[in-house]
Amino acid sequence: MEHVASVEEFNKIKESETAVFLFSADWCPDCRVIEPFLPRLEVDYPTFTFYYVDRDKLIDVCIAHDVFGIPSFLAFSNGEELARFVSKDRKTEEEIQTFLTEAEAKVG
């Protein structure tokens, strides 16, 4: 999963790709819980390119998109928000799969 380095890069990806952004942070224990199965989800949902957004480094992106809890996910396709899975709660693999399936159904 590629890391987004700047607000400008986030906006460029959001506007031009079909992407899922994972909002996370190194210190977040709930974020560590989902890490083992993320590579499999990237393979299972090839419609999306997956990106990591460090909440601490890109707080302005979080504020602009109302992401105040982590881990959280936003899905975009060519500038349009397809779906969001945003909360401060721990996410299960099944919940993330449901989010991705619903987002994928809205592509295109």
PDB file of all heavy atoms in Angstrom, residues 7-43:
ATOM      1  N   VAL A   7      -1.123  16.759   0.845  1.00  0.00           N
ATOM      2  CA  VAL A   7      -2.511  17.094   0.541  1.00  0.00           C
ATOM      3  C   VAL A   7      -2.703  17.133  -0.974  1.00  0.00           C
ATOM      4  O   VAL A   7      -3.694  16.625  -1.506  1.00  0.00           O
ATOM      5  CB  VAL A   7      -2.902  18.458   1.170  1.00  0.00           C
ATOM      6  CG1 VAL A   7      -4.279  18.898   0.718  1.00  0.00           C
ATOM      7  CG2 VAL A   7      -2.824  18.378   2.685  1.00  0.00           C
ATOM      8  N   GLU A   8      -1.731  17.690  -1.678  1.00  0.00           N
ATOM      9  CA  GLU A   8      -1.813  17.786  -3.130  1.00  0.00           C
ATOM     10  C   GLU A   8      -1.867  16.399  -3.769  1.00  0.00           C
ATOM     11  O   GLU A   8      -2.653  16.164  -4.705  1.00  0.00           O
ATOM     12  CB  GLU A   8      -0.624  18.581  -3.685  1.00  0.00           C
ATOM     13  CG  GLU A   8      -0.595  20.035  -3.269  1.00  0.00           C
ATOM     14  CD  GLU A   8      -0.122  20.270  -1.822  1.00  0.00           C
ATOM     15  OE1 GLU A   8       0.546  19.382  -1.243  1.00  0.00           O
ATOM     16  OE2 GLU A   8      -0.450  21.334  -1.258  1.00  0.00           O
ATOM     17  N   GLU A   9      -1.039  15.488  -3.279  1.00  0.00           N
ATOM     18  CA  GLU A   9      -1.048  14.127  -3.816  1.00  0.00           C
ATOM     19  C   GLU A   9      -2.393  13.447  -3.536  1.00  0.00           C
ATOM     20  O   GLU A   9      -2.955  12.789  -4.408  1.00  0.00           O
ATOM     21  CB  GLU A   9       0.094  13.303  -3.217  1.00  0.00           C
ATOM     22  CG  GLU A   9       0.150  11.895  -3.785  1.00  0.00           C
ATOM     23  CD  GLU A   9       1.249  11.037  -3.177  1.00  0.00           C
ATOM     24  OE1 GLU A   9       1.839  11.418  -2.138  1.00  0.00           O
ATOM     25  OE2 GLU A   9       1.491   9.959  -3.736  1.00  0.00           O
ATOM     26  N   PHE A  10      -2.923  13.612  -2.331  1.00  0.00           N
ATOM     27  CA  PHE A  10      -4.225  13.046  -1.998  1.00  0.00           C
ATOM     28  C   PHE A  10      -5.280  13.543  -2.981  1.00  0.00           C
ATOM     29  O   PHE A  10      -6.050  12.756  -3.535  1.00  0.00           O
ATOM     30  CB  PHE A  10      -4.619  13.408  -0.562  1.00  0.00           C
ATOM     31  CG  PHE A  10      -5.992  12.928  -0.179  1.00  0.00           C
ATOM     32  CD1 PHE A  10      -6.171  11.664   0.356  1.00  0.00           C
ATOM     33  CD2 PHE A  10      -7.112  13.730  -0.383  1.00  0.00           C
ATOM     34  CE1 PHE A  10      -7.446  11.205   0.684  1.00  0.00           C
ATOM     35  CE2 PHE A  10      -8.379  13.280  -0.055  1.00  0.00           C
ATOM     36  CZ  PHE A  10      -8.547  12.012   0.477  1.00  0.00           C
ATOM     37  N   ASN A  11      -5.317  14.854  -3.200  1.00  0.00           N
ATOM     38  CA  ASN A  11      -6.327  15.436  -4.084  1.00  0.00           C
ATOM     39  C   ASN A  11      -6.162  14.955  -5.517  1.00  0.00           C
ATOM     40  O   ASN A  11      -7.161  14.688  -6.204  1.00  0.00           O
ATOM     41  CB  ASN A  11      -6.292  16.958  -4.008  1.00  0.00           C
ATOM     42  CG  ASN A  11      -6.831  17.465  -2.685  1.00  0.00           C
ATOM     43  OD1 ASN A  11      -7.687  16.846  -2.062  1.00  0.00           O
ATOM     44  ND2 ASN A  11      -6.309  18.594  -2.229  1.00  0.00           N
ATOM     45  N   LYS A  12      -4.939  14.812  -5.967  1.00  0.00           N
ATOM     46  CA  LYS A  12      -4.689  14.325  -7.330  1.00  0.00           C
ATOM     47  C   LYS A  12      -5.201  12.892  -7.484  1.00  0.00           C
ATOM     48  O   LYS A  12      -5.873  12.567  -8.466  1.00  0.00           O
ATOM     49  CB  LYS A  12      -3.201  14.405  -7.651  1.00  0.00           C
ATOM     50  CG  LYS A  12      -2.859  13.949  -9.046  1.00  0.00           C
ATOM     51  CD  LYS A  12      -1.373  14.050  -9.323  1.00  0.00           C
ATOM     52  CE  LYS A  12      -1.075  13.515 -10.712  1.00  0.00           C
ATOM     53  NZ  LYS A  12       0.350  13.443 -10.980  1.00  0.00           N
ATOM     54  N   ILE A  13      -4.883  12.035  -6.536  1.00  0.00           N
ATOM     55  CA  ILE A  13      -5.334  10.635  -6.575  1.00  0.00           C
ATOM     56  C   ILE A  13      -6.856  10.582  -6.516  1.00  0.00           C
ATOM     57  O   ILE A  13      -7.495   9.880  -7.296  1.00  0.00           O
ATOM     58  CB  ILE A  13      -4.716   9.830  -5.418  1.00  0.00           C
ATOM     59  CG1 ILE A  13      -3.203   9.717  -5.593  1.00  0.00           C
ATOM     60  CG2 ILE A  13      -5.361   8.451  -5.304  1.00  0.00           C
ATOM     61  CD1 ILE A  13      -2.471   9.259  -4.341  1.00  0.00           C
ATOM     62  N   LYS A  14      -7.418  11.338  -5.602  1.00  0.00           N
ATOM     63  CA  LYS A  14      -8.881  11.361  -5.411  1.00  0.00           C
ATOM     64  C   LYS A  14      -9.597  11.754  -6.697  1.00  0.00           C
ATOM     65  O   LYS A  14     -10.640  11.187  -7.029  1.00  0.00           O
ATOM     66  CB  LYS A  14      -9.216  12.328  -4.276  1.00  0.00           C
ATOM     67  CG  LYS A  14     -10.690  12.516  -4.009  1.00  0.00           C
ATOM     68  CD  LYS A  14     -10.926  13.499  -2.876  1.00  0.00           C
ATOM     69  CE  LYS A  14     -10.961  14.898  -3.414  1.00  0.00           C
ATOM     70  NZ  LYS A  14     -11.424  15.895  -2.453  1.00  0.00           N
ATOM     71  N   GLU A  15      -9.046  12.697  -7.414  1.00  0.00           N
ATOM     72  CA  GLU A  15      -9.691  13.215  -8.620  1.00  0.00           C
ATOM     73  C   GLU A  15      -9.475  12.338  -9.850  1.00  0.00           C
ATOM     74  O   GLU A  15     -10.265  12.407 -10.790  1.00  0.00           O
ATOM     75  CB  GLU A  15      -9.187  14.636  -8.925  1.00  0.00           C
ATOM     76  CG  GLU A  15      -9.603  15.662  -7.898  1.00  0.00           C
ATOM     77  CD  GLU A  15     -11.110  15.841  -7.785  1.00  0.00           C
ATOM     78  OE1 GLU A  15     -11.794  15.748  -8.814  1.00  0.00           O
ATOM     79  OE2 GLU A  15     -11.597  16.052  -6.664  1.00  0.00           O
ATOM     80  N   SER A  16      -8.436  11.529  -9.870  1.00  0.00           N
ATOM     81  CA  SER A  16      -8.074  10.851 -11.113  1.00  0.00           C
ATOM     82  C   SER A  16      -8.112   9.327 -11.065  1.00  0.00           C
ATOM     83  O   SER A  16      -7.969   8.675 -12.100  1.00  0.00           O
ATOM     84  CB  SER A  16      -6.674  11.289 -11.546  1.00  0.00           C
ATOM     85  OG  SER A  16      -5.711  10.891 -10.575  1.00  0.00           O
ATOM     86  N   GLU A  17      -8.301   8.744  -9.885  1.00  0.00           N
ATOM     87  CA  GLU A  17      -8.230   7.289  -9.760  1.00  0.00           C
ATOM     88  C   GLU A  17      -9.479   6.737  -9.076  1.00  0.00           C
ATOM     89  O   GLU A  17     -10.278   7.476  -8.521  1.00  0.00           O
ATOM     90  CB  GLU A  17      -7.000   6.882  -8.928  1.00  0.00           C
ATOM     91  CG  GLU A  17      -5.677   7.235  -9.556  1.00  0.00           C
ATOM     92  CD  GLU A  17      -4.506   6.700  -8.757  1.00  0.00           C
ATOM     93  OE1 GLU A  17      -4.645   5.669  -8.064  1.00  0.00           O
ATOM     94  OE2 GLU A  17      -3.430   7.334  -8.814  1.00  0.00           O
ATOM     95  N   THR A  18      -9.584   5.426  -9.139  1.00  0.00           N
ATOM     96  CA  THR A  18     -10.562   4.706  -8.324  1.00  0.00           C
ATOM     97  C   THR A  18      -9.753   4.145  -7.167  1.00  0.00           C
ATOM     98  O   THR A  18      -8.948   3.224  -7.355  1.00  0.00           O
ATOM     99  CB  THR A  18     -11.261   3.601  -9.138  1.00  0.00           C
ATOM    100  OG1 THR A  18     -11.927   4.225 -10.242  1.00  0.00           O
ATOM    101  CG2 THR A  18     -12.266   2.847  -8.292  1.00  0.00           C
ATOM    102  N   ALA A  19      -9.916   4.745  -6.004  1.00  0.00           N
ATOM    103  CA  ALA A  19      -9.000   4.489  -4.899  1.00  0.00           C
ATOM    104  C   ALA A  19      -9.729   4.351  -3.569  1.00  0.00           C
ATOM    105  O   ALA A  19     -10.803   4.919  -3.372  1.00  0.00           O
ATOM    106  CB  ALA A  19      -7.984   5.631  -4.791  1.00  0.00           C
ATOM    107  N   VAL A  20      -9.094   3.594  -2.697  1.00  0.00           N
ATOM    108  CA  VAL A  20      -9.521   3.496  -1.302  1.00  0.00           C
ATOM    109  C   VAL A  20      -8.392   4.051  -0.453  1.00  0.00           C
ATOM    110  O   VAL A  20      -7.229   3.661  -0.612  1.00  0.00           O
ATOM    111  CB  VAL A  20      -9.837   2.042  -0.898  1.00  0.00           C
ATOM    112  CG1 VAL A  20     -10.029   1.933   0.611  1.00  0.00           C
ATOM    113  CG2 VAL A  20     -11.073   1.542  -1.626  1.00  0.00           C
ATOM    114  N   PHE A  21      -8.749   4.968   0.425  1.00  0.00           N
ATOM    115  CA  PHE A  21      -7.783   5.558   1.341  1.00  0.00           C
ATOM    116  C   PHE A  21      -8.014   4.995   2.734  1.00  0.00           C
ATOM    117  O   PHE A  21      -9.131   5.057   3.247  1.00  0.00           O
ATOM    118  CB  PHE A  21      -7.942   7.076   1.376  1.00  0.00           C
ATOM    119  CG  PHE A  21      -7.661   7.745   0.067  1.00  0.00           C
ATOM    120  CD1 PHE A  21      -8.690   8.054  -0.806  1.00  0.00           C
ATOM    121  CD2 PHE A  21      -6.360   8.060  -0.296  1.00  0.00           C
ATOM    122  CE1 PHE A  21      -8.444   8.669  -2.022  1.00  0.00           C
ATOM    123  CE2 PHE A  21      -6.096   8.677  -1.509  1.00  0.00           C
ATOM    124  CZ  PHE A  21      -7.139   8.983  -2.382  1.00  0.00           C
ATOM    125  N   LEU A  22      -6.955   4.438   3.312  1.00  0.00           N
ATOM    126  CA  LEU A  22      -6.972   3.993   4.702  1.00  0.00           C
ATOM    127  C   LEU A  22      -6.349   5.096   5.543  1.00  0.00           C
ATOM    128  O   LEU A  22      -5.181   5.447   5.346  1.00  0.00           O
ATOM    129  CB  LEU A  22      -6.171   2.701   4.872  1.00  0.00           C
ATOM    130  CG  LEU A  22      -5.762   2.330   6.303  1.00  0.00           C
ATOM    131  CD1 LEU A  22      -6.976   2.127   7.201  1.00  0.00           C
ATOM    132  CD2 LEU A  22      -4.866   1.111   6.313  1.00  0.00           C
ATOM    133  N   PHE A  23      -7.132   5.652   6.452  1.00  0.00           N
ATOM    134  CA  PHE A  23      -6.629   6.656   7.390  1.00  0.00           C
ATOM    135  C   PHE A  23      -6.192   5.932   8.649  1.00  0.00           C
ATOM    136  O   PHE A  23      -6.978   5.195   9.252  1.00  0.00           O
ATOM    137  CB  PHE A  23      -7.725   7.677   7.704  1.00  0.00           C
ATOM    138  CG  PHE A  23      -8.064   8.548   6.529  1.00  0.00           C
ATOM    139  CD1 PHE A  23      -8.914   8.085   5.528  1.00  0.00           C
ATOM    140  CD2 PHE A  23      -7.521   9.812   6.414  1.00  0.00           C
ATOM    141  CE1 PHE A  23      -9.226   8.876   4.437  1.00  0.00           C
ATOM    142  CE2 PHE A  23      -7.832  10.621   5.328  1.00  0.00           C
ATOM    143  CZ  PHE A  23      -8.681  10.148   4.333  1.00  0.00           C
ATOM    144  N   SER A  24      -4.939   6.138   9.028  1.00  0.00           N
ATOM    145  CA  SER A  24      -4.358   5.361  10.117  1.00  0.00           C
ATOM    146  C   SER A  24      -3.259   6.184  10.777  1.00  0.00           C
ATOM    147  O   SER A  24      -3.025   7.339  10.425  1.00  0.00           O
ATOM    148  CB  SER A  24      -3.793   4.050   9.535  1.00  0.00           C
ATOM    149  OG  SER A  24      -3.342   3.205  10.552  1.00  0.00           O
ATOM    150  N   ALA A  25      -2.598   5.567  11.756  1.00  0.00           N
ATOM    151  CA  ALA A  25      -1.446   6.181  12.419  1.00  0.00           C
ATOM    152  C   ALA A  25      -0.623   5.077  13.068  1.00  0.00           C
ATOM    153  O   ALA A  25      -1.157   4.024  13.430  1.00  0.00           O
ATOM    154  CB  ALA A  25      -1.897   7.191  13.472  1.00  0.00           C
ATOM    155  N   ASP A  26       0.662   5.337  13.214  1.00  0.00           N
ATOM    156  CA  ASP A  26       1.571   4.337  13.781  1.00  0.00           C
ATOM    157  C   ASP A  26       1.201   3.940  15.213  1.00  0.00           C
ATOM    158  O   ASP A  26       1.413   2.816  15.617  1.00  0.00           O
ATOM    159  CB  ASP A  26       3.011   4.859  13.769  1.00  0.00           C
ATOM    160  CG  ASP A  26       3.572   4.976  12.365  1.00  0.00           C
ATOM    161  OD1 ASP A  26       3.026   4.341  11.443  1.00  0.00           O
ATOM    162  OD2 ASP A  26       4.560   5.719  12.199  1.00  0.00           O
ATOM    163  N   TRP A  27       0.626   4.860  15.952  1.00  0.00           N
ATOM    164  CA  TRP A  27       0.356   4.626  17.377  1.00  0.00           C
ATOM    165  C   TRP A  27      -1.004   3.961  17.627  1.00  0.00           C
ATOM    166  O   TRP A  27      -1.342   3.645  18.759  1.00  0.00           O
ATOM    167  CB  TRP A  27       0.400   5.952  18.144  1.00  0.00           C
ATOM    168  CG  TRP A  27      -0.457   7.015  17.524  1.00  0.00           C
ATOM    169  CD1 TRP A  27      -0.038   8.001  16.677  1.00  0.00           C
ATOM    170  CD2 TRP A  27      -1.869   7.196  17.666  1.00  0.00           C
ATOM    171  NE1 TRP A  27      -1.109   8.781  16.286  1.00  0.00           N
ATOM    172  CE2 TRP A  27      -2.252   8.301  16.878  1.00  0.00           C
ATOM    173  CE3 TRP A  27      -2.858   6.530  18.392  1.00  0.00           C
ATOM    174  CZ2 TRP A  27      -3.557   8.760  16.788  1.00  0.00           C
ATOM    175  CZ3 TRP A  27      -4.174   6.984  18.298  1.00  0.00           C
ATOM    176  CH2 TRP A  27      -4.504   8.074  17.507  1.00  0.00           C
ATOM    177  N   CYS A  28      -1.780   3.734  16.583  1.00  0.00           N
ATOM    178  CA  CYS A  28      -3.166   3.277  16.716  1.00  0.00           C
ATOM    179  C   CYS A  28      -3.251   1.747  16.848  1.00  0.00           C
ATOM    180  O   CYS A  28      -2.985   1.035  15.885  1.00  0.00           O
ATOM    181  CB  CYS A  28      -3.941   3.754  15.491  1.00  0.00           C
ATOM    182  SG  CYS A  28      -5.554   3.010  15.272  1.00  0.00           S
ATOM    183  N   PRO A  29      -3.637   1.227  18.016  1.00  0.00           N
ATOM    184  CA  PRO A  29      -3.698  -0.230  18.190  1.00  0.00           C
ATOM    185  C   PRO A  29      -4.770  -0.901  17.320  1.00  0.00           C
ATOM    186  O   PRO A  29      -4.555  -2.011  16.811  1.00  0.00           O
ATOM    187  CB  PRO A  29      -3.989  -0.430  19.675  1.00  0.00           C
ATOM    188  CG  PRO A  29      -4.463   0.886  20.178  1.00  0.00           C
ATOM    189  CD  PRO A  29      -3.950   1.947  19.258  1.00  0.00           C
ATOM    190  N   ASP A  30      -5.915  -0.252  17.119  1.00  0.00           N
ATOM    191  CA  ASP A  30      -6.953  -0.839  16.265  1.00  0.00           C
ATOM    192  C   ASP A  30      -6.496  -0.908  14.809  1.00  0.00           C
ATOM    193  O   ASP A  30      -6.940  -1.777  14.058  1.00  0.00           O
ATOM    194  CB  ASP A  30      -8.253  -0.050  16.374  1.00  0.00           C
ATOM    195  CG  ASP A  30      -8.937  -0.240  17.724  1.00  0.00           C
ATOM    196  OD1 ASP A  30      -8.606  -1.221  18.431  1.00  0.00           O
ATOM    197  OD2 ASP A  30      -9.782   0.592  18.079  1.00  0.00           O
ATOM    198  N   CYS A  31      -5.621  -0.003  14.422  1.00  0.00           N
ATOM    199  CA  CYS A  31      -5.073  -0.024  13.062  1.00  0.00           C
ATOM    200  C   CYS A  31      -4.133  -1.217  12.878  1.00  0.00           C
ATOM    201  O   CYS A  31      -4.092  -1.811  11.799  1.00  0.00           O
ATOM    202  CB  CYS A  31      -4.327   1.275  12.779  1.00  0.00           C
ATOM    203  SG  CYS A  31      -5.360   2.756  12.949  1.00  0.00           S
ATOM    204  N   ARG A  32      -3.400  -1.563  13.907  1.00  0.00           N
ATOM    205  CA  ARG A  32      -2.484  -2.714  13.819  1.00  0.00           C
ATOM    206  C   ARG A  32      -3.263  -4.026  13.672  1.00  0.00           C
ATOM    207  O   ARG A  32      -2.821  -4.956  13.015  1.00  0.00           O
ATOM    208  CB  ARG A  32      -1.600  -2.814  15.068  1.00  0.00           C
ATOM    209  CG  ARG A  32      -0.706  -1.615  15.363  1.00  0.00           C
ATOM    210  CD  ARG A  32       0.418  -1.344  14.368  1.00  0.00           C
ATOM    211  NE  ARG A  32      -0.008  -0.755  13.119  1.00  0.00           N
ATOM    212  CZ  ARG A  32      -0.326   0.540  12.929  1.00  0.00           C
ATOM    213  NH1 ARG A  32      -0.288   1.401  13.911  1.00  0.00           N
ATOM    214  NH2 ARG A  32      -0.690   0.986  11.741  1.00  0.00           N
ATOM    215  N   VAL A  33      -4.458  -4.079  14.261  1.00  0.00           N
ATOM    216  CA  VAL A  33      -5.272  -5.300  14.212  1.00  0.00           C
ATOM    217  C   VAL A  33      -5.661  -5.641  12.776  1.00  0.00           C
ATOM    218  O   VAL A  33      -5.714  -6.819  12.409  1.00  0.00           O
ATOM    219  CB  VAL A  33      -6.531  -5.127  15.097  1.00  0.00           C
ATOM    220  CG1 VAL A  33      -7.529  -6.246  14.859  1.00  0.00           C
ATOM    221  CG2 VAL A  33      -6.143  -5.078  16.564  1.00  0.00           C
ATOM    222  N   ILE A  34      -5.923  -4.639  11.942  1.00  0.00           N
ATOM    223  CA  ILE A  34      -6.382  -4.915  10.578  1.00  0.00           C
ATOM    224  C   ILE A  34      -5.237  -5.125   9.588  1.00  0.00           C
ATOM    225  O   ILE A  34      -5.469  -5.628   8.486  1.00  0.00           O
ATOM    226  CB  ILE A  34      -7.329  -3.813  10.062  1.00  0.00           C
ATOM    227  CG1 ILE A  34      -6.608  -2.482   9.902  1.00  0.00           C
ATOM    228  CG2 ILE A  34      -8.550  -3.698  10.967  1.00  0.00           C
ATOM    229  CD1 ILE A  34      -7.441  -1.392   9.237  1.00  0.00           C
ATOM    230  N   GLU A  35      -4.014  -4.797   9.965  1.00  0.00           N
ATOM    231  CA  GLU A  35      -2.886  -4.887   9.035  1.00  0.00           C
ATOM    232  C   GLU A  35      -2.666  -6.274   8.429  1.00  0.00           C
ATOM    233  O   GLU A  35      -2.373  -6.366   7.237  1.00  0.00           O
ATOM    234  CB  GLU A  35      -1.601  -4.407   9.706  1.00  0.00           C
ATOM    235  CG  GLU A  35      -1.513  -2.903   9.756  1.00  0.00           C
ATOM    236  CD  GLU A  35      -0.220  -2.410  10.390  1.00  0.00           C
ATOM    237  OE1 GLU A  35       0.546  -3.239  10.936  1.00  0.00           O
ATOM    238  OE2 GLU A  35       0.012  -1.200  10.325  1.00  0.00           O
ATOM    239  N   PRO A  36      -2.804  -7.364   9.192  1.00  0.00           N
ATOM    240  CA  PRO A  36      -2.488  -8.673   8.606  1.00  0.00           C
ATOM    241  C   PRO A  36      -3.340  -9.052   7.393  1.00  0.00           C
ATOM    242  O   PRO A  36      -2.850  -9.744   6.497  1.00  0.00           O
ATOM    243  CB  PRO A  36      -2.733  -9.654   9.760  1.00  0.00           C
ATOM    244  CG  PRO A  36      -2.550  -8.833  10.998  1.00  0.00           C
ATOM    245  CD  PRO A  36      -3.059  -7.461  10.630  1.00  0.00           C
ATOM    246  N   PHE A  37      -4.580  -8.608   7.322  1.00  0.00           N
ATOM    247  CA  PHE A  37      -5.417  -9.023   6.192  1.00  0.00           C
ATOM    248  C   PHE A  37      -5.558  -7.956   5.103  1.00  0.00           C
ATOM    249  O   PHE A  37      -6.190  -8.201   4.070  1.00  0.00           O
ATOM    250  CB  PHE A  37      -6.797  -9.514   6.654  1.00  0.00           C
ATOM    251  CG  PHE A  37      -7.593  -8.539   7.469  1.00  0.00           C
ATOM    252  CD1 PHE A  37      -8.317  -7.532   6.872  1.00  0.00           C
ATOM    253  CD2 PHE A  37      -7.644  -8.661   8.857  1.00  0.00           C
ATOM    254  CE1 PHE A  37      -9.072  -6.646   7.623  1.00  0.00           C
ATOM    255  CE2 PHE A  37      -8.394  -7.781   9.611  1.00  0.00           C
ATOM    256  CZ  PHE A  37      -9.115  -6.767   8.994  1.00  0.00           C
ATOM    257  N   LEU A  38      -4.952  -6.797   5.268  1.00  0.00           N
ATOM    258  CA  LEU A  38      -5.057  -5.759   4.247  1.00  0.00           C
ATOM    259  C   LEU A  38      -4.458  -6.171   2.897  1.00  0.00           C
ATOM    260  O   LEU A  38      -5.072  -5.908   1.858  1.00  0.00           O
ATOM    261  CB  LEU A  38      -4.431  -4.451   4.738  1.00  0.00           C
ATOM    262  CG  LEU A  38      -5.221  -3.723   5.824  1.00  0.00           C
ATOM    263  CD1 LEU A  38      -4.447  -2.509   6.307  1.00  0.00           C
ATOM    264  CD2 LEU A  38      -6.606  -3.321   5.351  1.00  0.00           C
ATOM    265  N   PRO A  39      -3.300  -6.830   2.861  1.00  0.00           N
ATOM    266  CA  PRO A  39      -2.773  -7.241   1.552  1.00  0.00           C
ATOM    267  C   PRO A  39      -3.725  -8.161   0.787  1.00  0.00           C
ATOM    268  O   PRO A  39      -3.851  -8.046  -0.438  1.00  0.00           O
ATOM    269  CB  PRO A  39      -1.467  -7.956   1.900  1.00  0.00           C
ATOM    270  CG  PRO A  39      -1.048  -7.359   3.207  1.00  0.00           C
ATOM    271  CD  PRO A  39      -2.348  -7.105   3.936  1.00  0.00           C
ATOM    272  N   ARG A  40      -4.408  -9.031   1.476  1.00  0.00           N
ATOM    273  CA  ARG A  40      -5.368  -9.925   0.818  1.00  0.00           C
ATOM    274  C   ARG A  40      -6.543  -9.121   0.258  1.00  0.00           C
ATOM    275  O   ARG A  40      -7.028  -9.393  -0.843  1.00  0.00           O
ATOM    276  CB  ARG A  40      -5.851 -10.997   1.786  1.00  0.00           C
ATOM    277  CG  ARG A  40      -6.748 -12.034   1.123  1.00  0.00           C
ATOM    278  CD  ARG A  40      -7.096 -13.209   2.023  1.00  0.00           C
ATOM    279  NE  ARG A  40      -7.850 -12.809   3.206  1.00  0.00           N
ATOM    280  CZ  ARG A  40      -7.363 -12.754   4.446  1.00  0.00           C
ATOM    281  NH1 ARG A  40      -6.105 -13.084   4.685  1.00  0.00           N
ATOM    282  NH2 ARG A  40      -8.124 -12.375   5.455  1.00  0.00           N
ATOM    283  N   LEU A  41      -7.008  -8.124   0.992  1.00  0.00           N
ATOM    284  CA  LEU A  41      -8.104  -7.296   0.504  1.00  0.00           C
ATOM    285  C   LEU A  41      -7.694  -6.518  -0.745  1.00  0.00           C
ATOM    286  O   LEU A  41      -8.503  -6.343  -1.667  1.00  0.00           O
ATOM    287  CB  LEU A  41      -8.583  -6.334   1.592  1.00  0.00           C
ATOM    288  CG  LEU A  41      -9.269  -6.974   2.798  1.00  0.00           C
ATOM    289  CD1 LEU A  41      -9.633  -5.910   3.820  1.00  0.00           C
ATOM    290  CD2 LEU A  41     -10.491  -7.771   2.386  1.00  0.00           C
ATOM    291  N   GLU A  42      -6.446  -6.079  -0.794  1.00  0.00           N
ATOM    292  CA  GLU A  42      -5.966  -5.382  -1.993  1.00  0.00           C
ATOM    293  C   GLU A  42      -6.041  -6.294  -3.213  1.00  0.00           C
ATOM    294  O   GLU A  42      -6.396  -5.846  -4.306  1.00  0.00           O
ATOM    295  CB  GLU A  42      -4.537  -4.892  -1.787  1.00  0.00           C
ATOM    296  CG  GLU A  42      -4.430  -3.738  -0.812  1.00  0.00           C
ATOM    297  CD  GLU A  42      -3.026  -3.198  -0.703  1.00  0.00           C
ATOM    298  OE1 GLU A  42      -2.574  -2.546  -1.673  1.00  0.00           O
ATOM    299  OE2 GLU A  42      -2.368  -3.437   0.324  1.00  0.00           O
ATOM    300  N   VAL A  43      -5.746  -7.565  -3.029  1.00  0.00           N
ATOM    301  CA  VAL A  43      -5.824  -8.545  -4.120  1.00  0.00           C
ATOM    302  C   VAL A  43      -7.277  -8.851  -4.466  1.00  0.00           C
ATOM    303  O   VAL A  43      -7.644  -8.950  -5.638  1.00  0.00           O
ATOM    304  CB  VAL A  43      -5.069  -9.840  -3.740  1.00  0.00           C
ATOM    305  CG1 VAL A  43      -5.317 -10.948  -4.753  1.00  0.00           C
ATOM    306  CG2 VAL A  43      -3.584  -9.568  -3.599  1.00  0.00           C
TER     307      VAL A  43
END
